[in-house]
Amino acid sequence: MTLSPHRQHKIYLAATMGYGLGSNDPEEITYYNKVKEEINKDKENRNLGIPREE
């Protein structure tokens, strides 16, 4: 079973806001970890938000 867009969005919000997932569904855990990994990669590369125009 694939995740619905609504569920993906809820997992994305939980990951970006630093909340735990609270689910034991392996598909949801995989998606949560994928999002967290992307956030950490962007944080290390300093790709945060919109670049400033000065």
Side-chain angles (χ1 to χ4, degrees):
M1 179 175 115
T2 61
L3 294 173
S4 70
H6 179 263
R7 190 66 192 144
Q8 286 179 349
H9 184 67
K10 288 179 78 170
I11 294 169
Y12 175 81
L13 288 176
T16 57
M17 295 178 77
Y19 295 151
L21 185 57
S23 173
N24 292 329
D25 182 15
E27 194 171 4
E28 291 181 3
I29 293 170
T30 302
Y31 186 73
Y32 178 83
N33 289 334
K34 179 180 147 191
V35 171
K36 289 294 278 186
E37 182 180 303
E38 288 293 321
I39 291 169
N40 290 334
K41 186 169 52 170
D42 286 346
K43 193 181 296 184
E44 291 170 3
N45 294 333
R46 304 299 300 162
N47 295 331
L48 302 175
I50 301 169
R52 295 187 346 182
E53 300 284 333
E54 295 185 60

